[in-house]
Amino acid sequence: MSRNILANVYLRVLVPVFILILSLDLLSQCTNHATNRGPTFTQHERHLQTCFDDSSFNFIRNNGLIGDCQWLASGINSAKRIRRYCSRGDIKGSCQATCSFCPCIDEVGFTFNLIFDPSKIRTCSWLTRNNEEIRTGRYCYNQDGSSSEVGDACVASCGFCSPGSPTAPSPTVTTPTASPNRRPTLPTASPVKTPATSTPTASPVKTPGTPAPTASPVKTPGTPAPTASPVPPTPSAFTITLINTGTNTDFDAAFASAKARWESIIVSDLADISGAASRDWFAGILSTFYSGDVDDVVIGYEMTTIDGPGSVLGSAGPTYIRSSTGSPIAGIMNFDEDDFASMSSTNAEIIILHEMGHVLGVVGVLGACESSACDNNGIYTYPCPLAQLEYQKLYPTGTLRLENDGGAGTECSHWEEDDFPKTTGSSELMTGYFEANVGQPITRVTIAALDESFTDYQVDYSQADPFPIPGFNTTAVEPGKWNILRPTESFSLEGRMDYSAVPIPKMV
């Protein structure tokens, strides 16, 4: 009888107590795992930082040739190339290893078993679907707070990415095993025009004081993508069609003046390009969609608020180029109206004229003949013969170079400032720095650079401004065939123009 009583007490009292103690211990372990997120996880250095270069990716370099990840990392100029190109989002994302842009992502294909039901298998994404704190605390950590096997594999889901590390979905990582396949490069422009290339009649001289009208689209509420309707261009050999896609018209005259100036220099009629309903010539950058036919070049421009006064001044560049010659079809010029509102009209006109030159391809932007500039052991000598010849007419013992200072956006895409010394009272419009009261002529050197950039460009050298400017005086505008502007105060575009906002031009 006493034995039965003892057995009954054991079953009814001691066993539940034992079960209770065991349950409390398990609960304590789970709680510790769920809340122990404070230590310094030295083992996290093992976490997967998937970093790879896409072997099939290539891009158009500033000189119009094709580059790839392998080109970025090769040669003694690799650091300069990486600094210049890895700021572009598409290049940074495709050349992750070269650009040191290593997304912190979960290991592809990793699975694990549930603790309380090993028959069930889960992937990293399960950790964050529900009860994230409990699940990550239970599976991402060992009992001592270090990273578990799951934590090492599911770094993004477990929240183990280093501060500032980019995160991304888990890609299917393929390690390149062969050299990248290059797309065909742009046709190489021949600096010597063959006899078969007829010289078109130069377009009539346009007076900058008579600005061509520009279209200002009317935006109606509820119309998210209005269609721009440009004013039909006036008949001439080379035509730039301007479209004001915004509502600010304060600088329309400056844009029209720049258009007339460049139209006087480039005199050939380029191949017309048909529009397509689904193609926006402005690459979605501006507030207005334009898909019409293009006679030579169409440029959309807009004055809008970007980031307020200071910092980013704007962005400009070609958006579409001809597949046959590489010459521009379309481009954009987008400026911060707050910055322009605080500058003199002369400085604003200089910037607009300068950036329109970049859209048209002058100085290291599109032309194929600049291929070796800035890529040959740190040598900045401009390699194209026509511009070099024109420079040597100014300085018989000198050598024309590209700018070696200023970083991305200035370096290699402007004439070297020192090659047009300020002591003459003149600089050159296509340098990257602008000094107060120093004239900014468009010289025969810049016109020659356009001449040899694309086989379908023909230029009129007689439209060049003199260098140095004769009879230099203190007025803002020099007398002559064209108004030679001089800044009212010193400034540079170094770090001010966000050229990465303009995508790599597409070929049509």
Side-chain angles (χ1 to χ4, degrees), residues 58-61 63-68 71 180-189 321-327 366-369 371 453-454 505 507:
N58 46 39
F59 58 91
I60 299 178
R61 291 151 50 187
N63 56 26
L65 297 182
I66 301 297
D68 54 26
W71 173 80
N181 294 323
R182 296 178 181 266
R183 291 182 302 199
T185 59
L186 292 174
T188 301
I321 59 178
R322 289 170 174 81
S323 59
S324 56
T325 64
S327 61
L366 293 176
C369 76
S371 60
S453 288
F454 312 110
M507 289 188 285

Side-chain angles (χ1 to χ4, degrees), residues 220 222-228 287-289:
T220 57
T223 305
T227 301
S287 60
T288 299
F289 185 99

